Amino acid sequence: MPPHAGVDLPRAICAAVIKCSYRRHAHLLAADPTLLAAVLGRLSPLPSAALSFFRALPPPHPLDASLALVRLLAAHPRHHPVARTLLRDLSLRHPLSSPLLLPSLLAEPHLPSWLLLALAQGGRAGDAVRVFDHMRAEGLAPDAHACTALLTSLARARMTATARRVFDGMGRAGVAMNTHVYNAMLHVCLKAGDAARAEALMTRMDATGVPLDLFSFNTAIALYVRKGMQYEAMCVRDRMANDGVEADIVTWNTVIHGMCKEGRMKEASQLHRDMVAAGIEPDTVTYTTLVDGYCRAGDVGEAMNLRAVMEARGMLPGVAAYNAIIRKLCEDGKMKEVNGLLSEMDERKVQADHVTCNTLINSYSKKGDMPSACKVKTRMMESGLQLDQFTYKALIHGFSKAKQLDEAKEALFEMMGAGFSPNYSVFSWLVDGFYKRNNADAVLLIPDELMKRGLPPDKSVYRSLIRRLCKKRLVDLAQKVLHQMQGKGLEADCLVYASLAYAQLTAGKLAAASDTLNDMAKKQLSVTPQIYNCLCTSYGDEKQTLNMFWVHAIERGLIGKSVYKLMHQARLKSLNPAVENEGHAPVSRPSLPASAK
């Protein structure tokens, strides 16, 4: 008979734990994880003894036993902080939000909200949402703190649609909505740029008696400023005063930024004076915002005056302030002053950033001074800054403009090798460059050169090349690129076919245009609103040919008459909004083709 036969081991070990003589049972506990969980269950009335006993055991601790300890401690408020910490640590090592483990946690009153809080604060928004959905299915309502953390996590992850669904579910679950929960949802609205929902939330807070605090108002103001709704932002600021909520430095900086953003420097300057009068001391952000605003408004002199005031108050300008002034000086072609500021930055140990370098590269590229642009690129790399898509685009544009097309292609290959996708403009610069050198056929070599470098071209590369060749009326060459594309097993999309058909129509190649449109119909391609707007934008000054193209497209069912009318009317409305002021005649727009009327 085994030596422990007939003995209640959990009870015996509990007695040993109380007497601090449980070490002789350590081998049994290590061999049987369920035994440890059972012992912890027996120690429920003695949470401190259970915790000391558990901590004394050598890790790793079995998951069942760890969860048993968490449940044990959750029943004693004095041990809640330790229980929350244990649960958070467990959530980092185990998938507690899975359907296999979560049900055992939902049965405890505090654990679901604690787990939700731990996952949300740990940046695991998806896992937190799963816990929330399980709680909703069981009719459980998380506490307000956990709800706030969940919405905040979703906002940071920009999962705004999920946040809206979760917030609505909180209301149906009976969560006690407080200011913090609403503020978290207002932050979601800020991330989504959803002013209408933010207004509805604030109205709901007023109706339910939930007070708006400084964070509520500042979030609403930031949202309005981002949407260009400066009047609404100022109304919120006025309401703050009426509700007895004092505006802070964030409030003032935000409304000043809104005015600077729209070039309303007179109002921005007045807000600056009002801010000082209200006893709020401007900070570095205030002055940097104003400096940037004046530079964008073309008043670099006032920007320099503000920079002097800033320094007199003991605030040295940071890289953002320097960037604003350098950008304006570059636009004005005052490179001597730019070099002076760069030297000053070096003396003051102000590290140039991507904006500084890209501004300089862009300026030199526009001037055709590619040696200087390349020097900035080299210094940028030597200082540890990674080239981004704006750097590459500026270089490609500059090389193309300077007719250094080999260098332009090299920059293109580097750009794609770094993982950036060139847009239509990049390829248009290259096509235009080869066209000006009477060597447009060189465009055909670009896809093959990309292949040789291990960068197989995708649809977007061919699409951009074909569209630009069509725009330059190089129809035969565009057709060759299309054949090359199809030879690589890539199928052209509607925009490629539509661009080619339009170019063929313009070139008087009616049979070829008809064949291309027929191919579109066979492939069941249709003109979407995006493609319609794209073609109208590219060829808006060719009214007669464009209308003829739409007639042919409608006849082949590539675009329905009713759909065409809706898109046409929407485009007219966007291009020619109703003008209420007298003396402003509406701008004429292309008429609908007869067959679409």
Side-chain angles (χ1 to χ4, degrees):
M1 180 180 293
H4 299 288
V7 178
D8 186 346
L9 273 179
R11 183 175 181 179
I13 295 175
C14 283
V17 168
I18 295 172
K19 295 177 182 179
C20 296
S21 59
Y22 56 85
R23 296 191 183 279
R24 59 193 178 91
H25 300 290
H27 66 288
L28 296 174
L29 295 170
D32 187 358
T34 59
L35 178 60
L36 176 56
V39 170
L40 290 171
R42 292 288 187 91
L43 290 171
S44 295
L46 301 169
S48 297
L51 181 60
S52 299
F53 163 62
F54 185 82
R55 285 175 169 171
L57 295 175
H61 301 128
L63 177 59
D64 286 348
S66 299
L67 292 177
L69 178 64
V70 171
R71 285 192 290 266
L72 184 158
L73 297 176
H76 302 275
R78 187 165 66 89
H79 292 282
H80 281 183
V82 176
R84 287 197 296 268
T85 300
L86 285 173
L87 186 63
R88 182 201 63 200
D89 294 343
L90 287 173
S91 72
L92 296 175
R93 300 194 303 271
H94 303 283
L96 300 185
S97 62
S98 71
L100 294 176
L101 297 176
L102 191 56
S104 65
L105 298 173
L106 295 181
E108 300 294 333
H110 300 291
L111 297 190
S113 289
W114 291 351
L115 178 58
L116 185 60
L117 180 65
L119 294 172
Q121 291 180 336
R124 298 162 62 185
D127 290 337
V129 169
R130 280 191 286 275
V131 173
F132 176 81
D133 289 338
H134 277 294
M135 293 179 70
R136 286 281 293 116
E138 296 295 326
L140 301 174
D143 61 39
H145 189 194
C147 290
T148 302
L150 175 56
L151 292 172
T152 300
S153 177
L154 291 170
R156 287 174 179 166
R158 297 193 178 276
M159 299 170 63
T160 53
T162 302
R164 288 193 291 269
R165 175 182 69 79
V166 167
F167 181 78
D168 293 339
M170 290 175 182
R172 290 190 293 269
V175 173
M177 299 290 202
N178 58 22
T179 301
H180 300 296
V181 177
Y182 276 108
N183 282 349
M185 192 60 203
L186 285 171
H187 186 55
V188 171
C189 294
L190 174 62
K191 292 290 186 180
D194 193 345
R197 183 175 287 268
E199 290 171 355
L201 284 173
M202 295 172 72
T203 300
R204 184 170 160 187
M205 291 174 74
D206 290 334
T208 55
V210 178
L212 283 79
D213 62 7
L214 181 61
F215 185 91
S216 313
F217 288 119
N218 280 348
T219 304
I221 290 172
L223 175 55
Y224 284 133
V225 166
R226 181 175 296 180
K227 299 287 288 183
M229 303 166 68
Q230 311 306 334
Y231 174 78
E232 289 81 356
M234 296 303 295
C235 287
V236 173
R237 192 200 66 158
D238 292 341
R239 180 187 163 177
M240 290 176 67
N242 294 333
D243 287 5
V245 179
E246 187 174 348
D248 66 355
I249 187 68
V250 175
T251 316
W252 287 102
N253 284 344
T254 305
V255 292
I256 289 173
H257 170 68
M259 295 302 175
C260 291
K261 181 181 174 183
E262 295 192 351
R264 297 163 61 178
M265 297 312 300
K266 184 176 180 179
E267 291 95 328
S269 182
Q270 183 59 52
L271 285 169
H272 177 216
R273 290 191 291 271
D274 293 344
M275 174 184 183
V276 175
I280 303 295
E281 188 68 25
D283 62 4
T284 303
V285 174
T286 315
Y287 286 111
T288 302
T289 302
L290 289 166
V291 166
D292 182 70
Y294 277 114
C295 286
R296 291 183 184 278
D299 192 349
V300 70
E302 186 58 32
M304 297 296 284
N305 290 338
L306 271 172
R307 193 190 78 146
V309 172
M310 180 181 183
E311 293 183 1
R313 292 178 175 270
M315 292 175 277
L316 293 179
V319 67
Y322 279 108
N323 285 343
I325 299 172
I326 288 172
R327 183 186 63 246
K328 178 57 182 170
L329 292 175
C330 284
E331 289 174 359
D332 295 342
K334 299 180 178 179
M335 302 310 294
K336 182 177 180 180
E337 289 87 341
V338 168
N339 289 331
L341 285 177
L342 292 172
S343 298
E344 185 179 296
M345 289 174 68
D346 287 339
E347 292 172 2
R348 294 182 171 183
K349 308 300 182 184
V350 178
Q351 183 65 45
D353 62 6
H354 280 90
V355 176
T356 320
C357 297
N358 286 345
T359 300
L360 293 170
I361 290 173
N362 189 49
S363 178
Y364 285 126
S365 296
K366 285 183 177 179
K367 291 164 60 71
D369 186 358
M370 296 314 296
S372 295
C374 290
K375 286 181 181 178
V376 176
K377 172 194 170 185
T378 301
R379 289 185 60 185
M380 186 176 181
M381 298 173 68
E382 289 174 349
S383 63
L385 293 174
Q386 296 294 322
L387 277 63
D388 59 20
Q389 57 181 329
F390 302 105
T391 319
Y392 289 114
K393 285 180 66 176
L395 289 169
I396 295 169
H397 187 211
F399 282 127
S400 299
K401 186 177 179 180
K403 298 183 180 180
Q404 297 176 248
L405 297 179
D406 289 338
E407 291 82 354
K409 286 196 299 182
E410 190 63 35
L412 170 68
F413 300 149
E414 287 183 18
M415 180 181 188
M416 297 183 69
F420 299 109
S421 298
N423 60 9
Y424 169 71
S425 297
V426 171
F427 289 104
S428 68
W429 297 328
L430 284 168
V431 171
D432 291 355
F434 284 117
Y435 178 74
K436 289 176 182 177
R437 285 177 52 176
N438 298 317
N439 188 23
D441 288 341
V443 172
L444 293 171
L445 301 177
I446 293 177
D448 290 335
E449 290 181 79
L450 285 170
M451 288 287 293
K452 291 178 181 177
R453 293 173 178 258
L455 303 168
D458 57 12
K459 286 184 181 180
S460 64
V461 173
Y462 289 105
R463 184 194 301 119
S464 298
L465 292 174
I466 292 170
R467 285 181 61 201
R468 193 58 184 176
L469 290 169
C470 289
K471 184 68 175 176
K472 304 298 289 186
R473 304 289 190 261
L474 300 172
V475 182
D476 293 338
L477 196 55
Q479 186 73 57
K480 289 181 181 179
V481 175
L482 175 60
H483 290 326
Q484 187 184 69
M485 175 184 182
Q486 292 171 332
K488 294 289 194 301
L490 298 174
E491 189 58 51
D493 57 22
C494 184
L495 182 56
V496 170
Y497 279 111
S499 299
L500 182 59
Y502 183 87
Q504 291 166 336
L505 193 63
T506 304
K509 299 185 176 185
L510 302 184
S514 179
D515 289 343
T516 301
L517 290 170
N518 289 336
D519 285 344
M520 291 179 68
K522 290 177 183 177
K523 296 177 184 295
Q524 297 183 333
L525 299 174
S526 59
V527 176
T528 64
Q530 293 80 7
I531 294 175
Y532 173 84
N533 287 327
C534 180
L535 291 176
C536 286
T537 300
S538 297
Y539 305 103
D541 56 344
E542 302 172 9
K543 174 182 173 182
Q544 185 175 357
T545 306
L546 192 59
N547 284 348
M548 186 187 304
F549 177 79
W550 295 130
V551 170
H552 288 297
I554 291 171
E555 287 175 348
R556 288 167 174 79
L558 300 174
I559 177 173
K561 292 182 181 181
S562 59
V563 176
Y564 173 82
K565 287 181 179 179
L566 289 174
M567 292 192 296
H568 186 74
Q569 291 167 1
R571 180 166 177 78
L572 289 180
K573 185 176 180 181
S574 66
L575 293 175
N576 187 29
V579 181
E580 296 179 355
N581 298 333
E582 295 182 1
H584 293 271
V587 180
S588 61
R589 299 295 171 195
S591 59
L592 278 73
S595 63
K597 294 181 179 177

